[in-house]
Amino acid sequence: THHLRKLEQAWRLERQMILRAWADRAKNSKIHQQELSFQLRNMKVFIDDERQEWTREVERLVKEKIILKKQLDSYVNELELHRSQSRIDDQEQYKAIIMDLKQK
């Protein structure tokens, strides 16, 4: 019986050590899982922030493109108007020169 008690005691001690090791691993696993969850939340926040920043930048660039397109259209229209006026002036000048030559 003494030998049985020593075996039972050793078994209980071994069982406690195994349970403690298992509890420590479970605790560490839970801590690790919490850390991973925290990192995942941070990454999601970072990705959302980056997405919002990218969206704002695209919107800014689109607005800038629209403004530049309007400015270019306006410049082209002014250029066309100037060219038309120059052509009219040139034609009148040619007519005047031709009339002058005919009179001589």
Side-chain angles (χ1 to χ4, degrees):
T1 55
H2 178 66
H3 185 62
L4 274 170
R5 258 189 259 144
K6 278 200 172 230
L7 280 173
E8 188 180 344
Q9 213 174 25
W11 179 79
R12 283 185 184 163
L13 185 60
E14 182 75 22
R15 185 174 174 264
Q16 282 181 341
M17 288 173 51
I18 290 171
L19 286 175
R20 256 191 225 130
W22 178 79
D24 286 345
R25 279 194 304 273
K27 180 181 172 186
N28 288 340
S29 175
K30 188 170 185 168
I31 289 171
H32 184 68
Q33 188 178 16
Q34 287 173 344
E35 288 172 354
L36 288 176
S37 179
F38 178 73
Q39 288 175 357
L40 182 61
R41 278 193 306 273
N42 282 346
M43 288 176 76
K44 285 180 179 178
V45 167
F46 174 76
I47 289 169
D48 285 345
D49 288 349
E50 287 295 309
R51 183 180 297 123
Q52 287 175 0
E53 180 61 32
W54 184 81
T55 302
R56 281 193 296 270
E57 185 65 13
V58 167
E59 287 173 351
R60 184 188 69 75
L61 290 171
V62 167
K63 287 176 183 175
E64 189 174 307
K65 179 183 174 186
I66 291 169
I67 289 170
L68 291 172
K69 176 76 171 110
K70 287 179 180 178
Q71 288 175 347
L72 180 62
D73 288 347
S74 175
Y75 175 74
V76 167
N77 288 337
E78 284 180 34
L79 200 59
E80 286 298 318
L81 184 65
H82 177 71
R83 282 186 187 160
S84 295
Q85 188 59 48
S86 292
R87 285 186 201 135
I88 291 170
D89 292 346
D90 289 346
Q91 287 174 356
E92 289 176 6
Q93 221 173 9
Y94 293 145
K95 286 179 186 175
I97 292 171
I98 290 171
M99 293 297 281
D100 189 40
L101 287 173
K102 283 183 180 179
Q103 289 176 355
K104 289 184 180 179

